[in-house]
Amino acid sequence: MPKLSAIHRFPVKGFSPQVLDQIELTQGKGLPFDRHWAIENGPGQYDATAPGHVSKKNFLMLAAQSDLAGWSTRFNAEHQIWTVIAPDGTCLQVDLNDAETHAALFDHLSQALSDQVRGRLRLIQAGSQAMTDIPDPYPSIINLASVRDLAERTGQALDPVRFRGNLLIDDLEPWAELDMVGERLVIGEAEVEIRARIRRCVATSINPVTAARDADIPKALFDSFGHMDCGVYVSVERGGSVAAGDRVSGK
């Protein structure tokens, strides 16, 4: 029986995940606080007076700033405090809702990323619109068996965090999720519908521990299967609590 193996959310786009034991899903929404914040890389398209989805190219992101993988983070959801540990060991604590606490982080990022920073950095809050790669409020599912199969094909270990999924499931046949678009799954108290396959970009080629570009994942997918898809987007059709270890069943 397939099960939910892990829950990941990424409070600030482009940075490391928070691993959760359980979370409450809400109908029609993504995970609470997932990509709820992003760091604007120079003047961009985001309008705080009329917030909405804008391209990821407006923000610091792994695909363009791979060194971000070397920054570890912790997130306190109750107080919305974000603790960031830079590769040099510097520990920075940020109140995500207080711009006066952001300057030290931005200074450190600007020095570390150098010419990858296009201008003034600004932390934006997405509100009800998570700054994922798509405008729809869809969490993502990663099939761990598919990741293991791809690892065997590439001949190297692949951390599932590369794929930045929210709900990591196991004990499903490799790649079965790609043929399940339109189907519904029950996970814990929640029910989701699989909406679309996820086409992968260069960000998956970055090792989430070392920050090195040590694998060409889109090419490996295309060479193996003739496509570059891994994982699926889902919509939450019935809200409820989900927890690591919950069974995943068809509807």
Side-chain angles (χ1 to χ4, degrees):
M1 173 72 72
K3 66 179 181 181
L4 180 62
S5 180
I7 304 167
H8 291 176
R9 68 176 170 195
F10 301 81
V12 180
K13 184 177 181 65
F15 289 84
S16 63
Q18 180 186 33
V19 180
L20 302 169
D21 294 324
Q22 69 87 35
I23 199 165
E24 190 79 19
L25 298 182
T26 300
Q27 182 179 6
K29 296 185 178 181
L31 266 65
F33 296 125
D34 185 50
R35 281 86 163 187
H36 190 72
W37 293 271
I39 298 177
E40 191 175 50
N41 187 9
Q45 299 172 310
Y46 183 79
D47 182 356
T49 65
H53 188 269
V54 297
S55 169
K56 63 183 180 181
K57 294 180 180 179
N58 289 272
F59 308 112
L60 294 182
M61 59 175 179
L62 276 180
Q65 291 83 36
S66 59
D67 289 347
L68 294 179
W71 296 63
S72 62
T73 66
R74 296 191 299 272
F75 175 61
N76 181 310
E78 180 181 0
H79 301 290
Q80 296 179 22
I81 299 297
W82 193 47
T83 302
V84 183
I85 302 174
D88 66 4
T90 302
C91 184
L92 302 154
Q93 193 170 77
V94 173
D95 181 334
L96 290 165
N97 298 310
D98 183 357
E100 292 185 1
T101 71
H102 302 169
L105 172 64
F106 294 161
D107 287 346
H108 215 81
L109 282 167
S110 295
Q111 292 174 19
L113 299 176
S114 186
D115 58 1
Q116 297 177 59
V117 174
R118 298 192 296 263
R120 179 179 64 89
L121 298 178
R122 177 175 66 141
L123 188 72
I124 67 96
Q125 185 174 135
S128 61
Q129 178 60 66
M131 287 304 168
T132 56
D133 290 349
I134 61 171
D136 305 286
Y138 294 164
S140 58
I141 283 179
I142 298 298
N143 180 359
L144 295 178
S146 300
V147 176
R148 289 193 294 269
D149 180 72
L150 187 61
E152 290 180 7
R153 292 170 185 270
T154 60
Q156 66 183 98
L158 296 176
D159 189 328
V161 173
R162 285 180 187 262
F163 301 94
R164 304 184 75 75
N166 296 128
L167 305 174
L168 282 59
I169 63 175
D170 211 347
D171 297 329
L172 185 69
E173 287 297 313
W175 310 107
E177 72 280 9
L178 300 184
D179 296 323
M180 295 170 66
V181 174
E183 297 185 22
R184 292 197 175 195
L185 299 173
V186 175
I187 307 174
E189 297 176 351
E191 182 179 327
V192 303
E193 181 174 328
I194 299 177
R195 292 287 186 165
R197 293 156 61 145
I198 303 175
R199 183 183 175 94
R200 290 303 172 179
C201 71
V202 69
T204 55
S205 298
I206 300 164
N207 187 307
V209 176
T210 67
R213 293 178 185 264
D214 61 359
D216 190 338
I217 296 300
K219 183 178 186 300
L221 287 166
F222 189 81
D223 289 347
S224 296
F225 307 109
H227 61 69
M228 295 185 289
D229 302 337
C230 184
V232 290
Y233 289 117
V234 301
S235 60
V236 179
E237 300 297 320
R238 184 183 74 231
S241 177
V242 301
D246 281 347
R247 291 184 176 181
V248 178
S249 60
K251 176 69 175 179

